[in-house]
Amino acid sequence: MNIFAIVGRSFLGFLATIGNIAVFTGKAVFHTFAPPFYFRLLWRQIVSVGYYSLPVVGLTALFTGAVLARQIYIGTGRIGIESAVPTIVVFGITRELGPVIASLMVAGRVSAAMAAEIGTMRVSEQIDALQTLATNPFKYLIAPRILATALVLPVLVFIGDVIGVMGGYFMSTELLGFNSSAYLRNTIDFLEVADVISGLVKAAVFGFLIALMGCYHGYRSDGGAQGVGRATTNAVVSASILILAANYIITELLFAQ
Amino acid sequence: MSTIIPKISLRGVTKSFGDNLVLDKLDLDIMPGDSVVVIGGSGTGKSVMLKCILGLLDADAGSIKIDGVETMGMSTRDREALLRRVGMLFQGSALFDSLPVWENVTFGLLSAGTISRKDAWGIAATILAKVGLGRQVCDLRPSELSGGMQKRVGLARAIATSPEMIFFDEPTTGLDPITADTINELIVERVRDLGATTLTITHDMASVRKIADHVSMLHDGKIIWSGPVDQIDQSGNEYLEQFIHGRADGPINADPNTDKIT
């Protein structure tokens, strides 16, 4: 087969996907802010995404904070500035690791669940049924999920930040010999509001991307059970890649000198 | 002299998926209060035709009018207003498995704001009684119901809003003969109560004989025969005769390798 034909077809397919995602995003955003609003469904999604993600986010943050403290202690020990551990831990958690790791964990749980649920609704004609009942699937299915995830993820990340810092605190005070009050003072004294806010802004964007990818791949799934499985995988992979790419872009926008 | 406008009128409706031409300049008229059944083999485009009428799929060309009003290219708002006058029973029932039965049945009424959530349970129980289901079903999930019960709940949902038009997509597929006959009976009774215009697509001849006033046969994307149900046995149409007698030999190619993929 002609190599140019293969490359050309792949490129056109890529452009078509970009176009489809752009159209889907436009419709999703429009229907998120245009009435009617389904507050009952929004609340159900807030509970599903927020409350049920707390254990996974909390545990991940706790261990990440502890490991981070240990590694920074080793690194700073080489140049004799171990006292910087509290500052670097809180800086790293609030600005980067808190939002990114929590979002990746939520992407694995929530994006997959959304793709599977909406994909199953698609292949079992439930989305068609919604339409014949004069209900817009974007308003009923997509908008509550996107809004709920974008609202809830900053809250989850904030909780994750606190638990992550505490993970570093316990590691440092229990195993690395840091003084408890000195550690907390160093943590608080060098922490700026902008550090926390930037992480929460990232979390809101990541939440939007997680729900968008879950809904997009679920909504466009076809081919029965295999198609739903493919949609679930694609949702998690694309959400994870977009989180990392968006993290770079937001960091550049917020912190480039 | 006044002319009766068809409730649903299709003219030259064409739909392709890639190179696969599914509907080929299809014409069909359904008069008010009529029960039309469209028959045809698997993959002949019956479901595609139904989805084009409902706006779930966009036809490539042609005209689809309801009450004389063109629906192709209709705005979302007008389409939603139109769909509030429609009921639909899906092949697999398509019940919302995240909702209990009572909320499935009253979904259309709740979303239109016709009833309050407080009253919905009782209204659902009343509608379910019309399809032979007791109040104890109201709080069950669709996954807890048998196939026949799901069809009944699907029918209850389809008639809940007292629609002017009801569409049935393979209403008896996957059901045993007795349950299928019960569903057919219920369809006839409830449609008679409502005075609705109905379009059914099926390849179950028992359904055809029970439900239909008029029958149309779809083959190769076109209606190749139409007439009253009592004439299907004397049609003289070799395609229709092969289909209603279920013979492998005849003009309709039963080779699965030549089936159209829709």
Side-chain angles (χ1 to χ4, degrees):
Chain A
M1 187 179 266
N2 186 340
I3 185 76
F4 293 108
I6 296 170
V7 172
R9 226 186 319 271
S10 301
F11 185 66
L12 288 175
F14 173 74
L15 290 181
T17 302
I18 298 291
N20 286 332
I21 291 174
V23 171
F24 187 91
T25 305
K27 287 169 81 171
V29 170
F30 173 77
H31 288 294
T32 298
F33 296 106
F37 302 109
Y38 293 92
F39 292 109
R40 182 183 300 270
L41 297 175
L42 178 65
W43 176 245
R44 200 179 293 169
Q45 290 302 320
I46 285 173
V47 172
S48 169
V49 175
Y51 181 71
Y52 291 110
S53 296
L54 270 174
V56 69
V57 170
L59 281 172
T60 312
L62 184 69
F63 291 122
T64 302
V67 168
L68 190 65
R70 167 70 78 184
Q71 297 287 24
I72 291 169
Y73 179 75
I74 296 167
T76 52
R78 292 175 183 168
I79 48 175
I81 53 165
E82 291 95 332
S83 61
V85 168
T87 310
I88 301 175
V89 166
V90 74
F91 193 81
I93 291 276
T94 53
R95 282 197 176 201
E96 290 300 326
L97 291 175
V100 171
I101 291 182
S103 300
L104 288 175
M105 298 309 290
V106 173
R109 202 186 82 79
V110 170
S111 198
M114 287 179 182
E117 186 178 2
I118 295 175
T120 304
M121 290 185 75
R122 164 63 72 198
V123 300
S124 61
E125 294 188 306
Q126 290 178 54
I127 291 179
D128 287 346
L130 266 183
Q131 287 179 273
T132 61
L133 288 161
T135 301
N136 189 320
F138 272 84
K139 287 197 189 303
Y140 189 82
L141 293 175
I142 313 297
R145 282 167 171 77
I146 287 181
L147 192 56
T149 316
L151 287 175
V152 155
L153 208 61
V155 179
L156 280 173
V157 165
F158 183 77
I159 295 168
D161 285 351
V162 174
I163 295 173
V165 170
M166 292 316 289
Y169 165 81
F170 286 124
M171 168 62 79
S172 303
T173 55
E174 298 300 320
L175 298 176
L176 303 178
F178 277 77
N179 174 275
S180 173
S181 59
Y183 188 96
L184 289 177
R185 199 181 324 112
N186 272 353
T187 298
I188 294 163
D189 284 352
F190 292 100
L191 180 66
E192 293 180 5
V193 174
D195 299 330
V196 179
I197 298 293
S198 69
L200 301 186
V201 169
K202 285 181 178 184
V205 175
F206 299 163
F208 172 79
L209 293 173
I210 288 167
L212 184 72
M213 287 298 102
C215 294
Y216 171 78
H217 288 287
Y219 197 79
R220 291 185 62 86
S221 71
D222 56 11
Q226 197 177 26
V228 175
R230 202 165 43 238
T232 307
T233 306
N234 289 342
V236 177
V237 171
S238 55
S240 303
I241 292 170
L242 283 177
I243 285 168
L244 297 174
N247 184 45
Y248 170 75
I249 293 168
I250 297 170
T251 303
E252 282 297 311
L253 287 173
L254 292 179
F255 300 113
Q257 301 295 320
Chain B
M1 192 179 84
S2 65
T3 311
I4 299 173
I5 298 172
K7 191 74 179 172
I8 303 168
S9 176
L10 280 70
R11 285 287 172 276
V13 174
T14 303
K15 177 68 182 172
S16 301
F17 295 94
D19 297 333
N20 184 16
L21 180 62
V22 179
L23 300 180
D24 184 9
K25 296 177 187 148
L26 182 142
D27 295 335
L28 179 70
D29 281 332
I30 302 172
M31 304 312 288
D34 214 358
S35 174
V36 171
V37 175
V38 175
I39 58 174
S42 301
T44 50
K46 303 188 299 295
S47 293
V48 172
M49 178 192 73
L50 204 57
K51 287 183 176 180
C52 286
I53 295 172
L54 288 165
L56 299 174
L57 287 174
D58 293 325
D60 299 332
S63 162
I64 299 173
K65 290 183 178 174
I66 292 180
D67 288 329
V69 177
E70 182 61 56
T71 66
M72 282 178 61
M74 207 173 217
S75 69
T76 307
R77 186 185 296 263
D78 290 342
R79 173 71 66 182
E80 285 182 4
L82 172 67
L83 288 171
R84 292 199 191 283
R85 297 156 52 201
V86 166
M88 170 81 189
L89 175 58
F90 285 85
Q91 184 174 354
S93 302
L95 300 176
F96 305 125
D97 42 30
S98 60
L99 302 178
V101 165
W102 69 267
E103 218 171 333
N104 265 282
V105 172
T106 54
F107 192 97
L109 295 166
L110 285 167
S111 70
T114 315
I115 63 169
S116 67
R117 289 185 72 81
K118 193 162 57 76
D119 301 328
W121 198 97
I123 291 168
T126 307
I127 299 166
L128 285 168
K130 292 181 183 175
V131 296
L133 292 173
R135 305 169 74 85
Q136 69 279 8
V137 175
C138 279
D139 291 318
L140 297 179
R141 296 270 161 178
S143 58
E144 297 176 280
L145 305 176
S146 68
M149 290 169 87
Q150 288 188 15
K151 284 282 184 189
R152 286 176 192 249
V153 174
L155 178 60
R157 186 174 68 181
I159 63 171
T161 55
S162 304
E164 298 166 29
M165 294 162 277
I166 312 180
F167 298 86
F168 299 100
D169 184 359
E170 310 273 10
T172 56
T173 297
L175 300 178
D176 66 78
I178 297 168
T179 309
D181 192 55
T182 310
I183 295 293
N184 287 333
E185 286 279 1
L186 283 170
I187 287 173
V188 171
E189 287 170 14
R190 297 291 74 86
V191 168
R192 194 188 305 133
D193 291 347
L194 293 169
T197 306
T198 68
L199 172 60
T200 306
I201 60 170
T202 185
H203 41 228
D204 177 1
M205 289 310 298
S207 287
V208 175
R209 293 179 195 281
K210 198 129 203 169
I211 295 172
D213 296 325
H214 286 88
V215 179
S216 294
M217 180 158 181
L218 186 61
H219 181 70
D220 272 349
K222 289 182 179 349
I223 298 293
I224 58 166
W225 187 87
S226 283
V229 66
D230 54 13
Q231 288 180 14
I232 57 172
D233 293 311
Q234 302 88 37
S235 68
N237 183 300
E238 54 185 342
Y239 289 89
L240 183 60
E241 284 180 1
Q242 183 192 352
F243 188 85
I244 63 177
H245 295 111
R247 289 193 298 259
D249 295 329
I252 302 173
N253 189 348
D255 180 356
N257 296 311
T258 61
D259 269 0
K260 288 190 174 181
I261 299 162
T262 55

